[in-house]
Amino acid sequence: MKPLKRPVRRTTLVVHVATSAGWLGLTLGLLALALAAYTSESASMAEASYRSMEVFTDWLVLPLALLTLTSGLVLSLGTQWGLARHRWVFTKFWLTLATTTASVLVLRPGVDRAADTVASGGVVAEPRDLLMGPAVSLTAYVFMTVVSVLKPWGLTRRGRRLRVSTSSRKVVDERSTRQTA
């Protein structure tokens, strides 16, 4: 993929930061609702919490996750950072993919089951499970935010190879420019 033009890169960066922050905030909200359901002795409070979680997971989690993943992928492929050049970018990509997958395959079905259970007058068997998903996700998102700011760990093997080949090409180009001048 060729480098993104400045306006496209900036727009994509804004989308990425906004959706990432939205996903983090949504997860914090899901954690608060799961905690309210878990600690409340009121069946109606638990039901309201699980139903609210269901709305969030059914309508917001997947769109925010996919926008975050897609915008991050576009940024990594369309900027100097690359997808597999820097360890921090590669780590963020895989964590985002893992949390997106877990949200779709584990969190959403679990919340839907809990909401159905309390709506039919039942009691959720393992309410702690609904606390763990958002807690783990929140930890991952905060970690990814820190990694985005600090950019630790340096280049991957591929990144080092690309840097060497790019610098070798620059030396050759400079020599040919001097020879023709």
Side-chain angles (χ1 to χ4, degrees):
M1 184 174 195
K2 62 185 198 176
L4 299 172
K5 301 238 185 263
R6 186 175 182 182
V8 175
R9 180 181 50 80
R10 287 179 143 189
T11 301
T12 307
L13 182 60
V14 167
V15 168
H16 184 67
V17 170
T19 56
S20 299
W23 198 13
L24 190 147
L26 176 62
T27 302
L28 188 59
L30 288 169
L31 182 60
L33 288 167
L35 192 59
Y38 182 70
T39 59
S40 176
E41 294 183 17
S42 164
S44 62
M45 173 64 126
E47 182 177 354
S49 295
Y50 291 133
R51 285 178 176 252
S52 297
M53 288 177 73
E54 185 177 37
V55 170
F56 289 155
T57 58
D58 286 352
W59 291 95
L60 296 174
V61 169
L62 187 57
L64 285 173
L66 291 176
L67 270 171
T68 299
L69 183 63
T70 303
S71 60
L73 194 56
V74 168
L75 283 170
S76 68
L77 295 174
T79 64
Q80 80 277 4
W81 296 111
L83 180 61
R85 288 184 195 158
H86 297 268
R87 286 189 181 104
W88 70 271
V89 176
F90 206 52
T91 300
K92 278 185 61 180
F93 170 74
W94 286 107
L95 272 174
T96 303
L97 191 60
T99 53
T100 299
T101 303
S103 294
V104 171
L105 298 179
V106 180
L107 178 66
R108 189 173 177 195
V111 169
D112 287 346
R113 275 191 306 276
D116 291 345
T117 299
V118 295
S120 64
V123 176
V124 175
E126 292 295 330
R128 193 176 312 167
D129 291 350
L130 294 174
L131 273 170
M132 295 312 295
V136 169
S137 294
L138 185 62
T139 303
Y141 306 149
V142 169
F143 174 76
M144 287 188 275
T145 301
V146 170
V147 166
S148 294
V149 172
L150 299 180
K151 297 173 180 45
W153 309 316
L155 296 170
T156 61
R157 274 188 233 152
R158 181 177 188 276
R160 287 191 297 274
R161 274 196 317 272
L162 288 171
R163 181 171 281 169
V164 168
S165 69
T166 302
S167 25
S168 299
R169 267 190 254 128
K170 285 181 183 177
V171 169
V172 169
D173 289 345
E174 288 174 8
R175 286 182 185 157
S176 23
T177 304
R178 279 190 229 135
Q179 290 173 353
T180 57

